[in-house]
Amino acid sequence: MLSLDLNKIRTAQERFEQVYAPGRLPAEEDFRLAAPVSLAFDIFKDQEQFRLVGRVQTTLELPCSRCLESFMLPVEQTFDLRYQPHARNTGEGEREIEEDDLTTAFYEDDEIDLGQLMREQFYLALPMKPLCADDCKGLCPLCGTNLNGGACRCKREWDDPRMATLRGLKHSD
């Protein structure tokens, strides 16, 4: 586990900078780390509360949503997070989520899990529909050929009975 030992934070403000090899972080299902991860942030200490303000930078390899080919996505994600001891997470019942709740996390045993912090930032940086290129043509729905590499030999007007009305409208003009 990659962690920040909070017992070593002695002053009200400190700087943390570290570069991690891609193999140091656990593998993810949705992407692969294709470059070292640079993590840098300022730590602001206020008794048992810590505020981390910084950035994480790397390159992710992920599959295109249309053609399934891998492509590289550079990531430079900034963050501003507050950490409180887990004991303060009392689960007060139902209440409306406020803006502060979205930037507040909890730590246990005087450690902040930096692996979790980086993983969250990577997921926040992922596009909803990752594409290798804006004009990616995707795969042929019949034979699975990657249409970015050329056309396939499939019949373009698929025999889907639901499309018959639309084909009729197209030919009536």
Side-chain angles (χ1 to χ4, degrees):
M1 179 168 116
L2 306 172
S3 63
L4 174 65
D5 185 352
L6 298 176
N7 292 319
K8 293 182 179 179
I9 310 299
R10 302 273 184 229
T11 60
Q13 181 178 353
E14 292 190 22
R15 180 80 178 158
F16 178 92
E17 292 186 41
Q18 186 72 44
V19 176
Y20 298 100
R24 293 270 323 265
L25 285 120
E28 293 294 322
E29 186 175 310
D30 299 317
F31 59 82
R32 185 184 73 78
L33 290 171
V37 180
S38 173
L39 178 64
F41 54 85
D42 291 313
I43 305 164
F44 300 94
K45 179 181 178 181
D46 182 16
Q47 296 176 0
E48 291 185 322
Q49 293 188 27
F50 295 86
R51 182 175 171 214
L52 277 54
V53 179
R55 67 170 175 77
V56 61
Q57 185 176 4
T58 191
T59 300
L60 303 177
E61 180 181 348
L62 56 153
C64 176
S65 294
R66 289 185 190 157
C67 69
L68 304 179
E69 294 290 325
S70 293
F71 72 99
M72 301 299 175
L73 177 71
V75 171
E76 184 166 346
Q77 189 77 1
T78 59
F79 57 88
D80 184 349
L81 301 169
R82 275 176 274 166
Y83 285 86
Q84 300 178 14
H86 193 278
R88 289 201 183 164
N89 184 11
T90 58
E92 304 159 350
E94 287 189 33
R95 66 181 180 88
E96 188 173 327
I97 294 177
E98 297 176 13
E99 184 70 30
D100 286 350
D101 295 330
L102 301 175
T103 59
T104 301
F106 299 93
Y107 66 86
E108 288 186 84
D109 302 324
D110 294 324
E111 290 184 340
I112 293 176
D113 184 351
L114 297 178
Q116 179 66 22
L117 181 151
M118 290 184 276
R119 206 169 20 263
E120 287 174 357
Q121 297 308 312
F122 298 152
Y123 276 105
L124 288 170
L126 291 179
M128 293 275 279
K129 187 173 184 177
L131 297 176
C132 60
D134 288 337
D135 61 347
C136 177
K137 296 174 184 170
L139 302 175
C140 171
L142 294 178
C143 69
T145 299
N146 185 345
L147 299 174
N148 294 314
C152 64
R153 298 184 187 264
C154 293
K155 183 176 157 187
R156 277 290 167 226
E157 287 198 31
W158 300 289
D159 294 327
D160 186 344
R162 298 173 293 178
M163 302 301 278
T165 305
L166 291 176
R167 279 194 298 273
L169 289 172
K170 179 181 173 187
H171 296 300
S172 67
D173 287 340

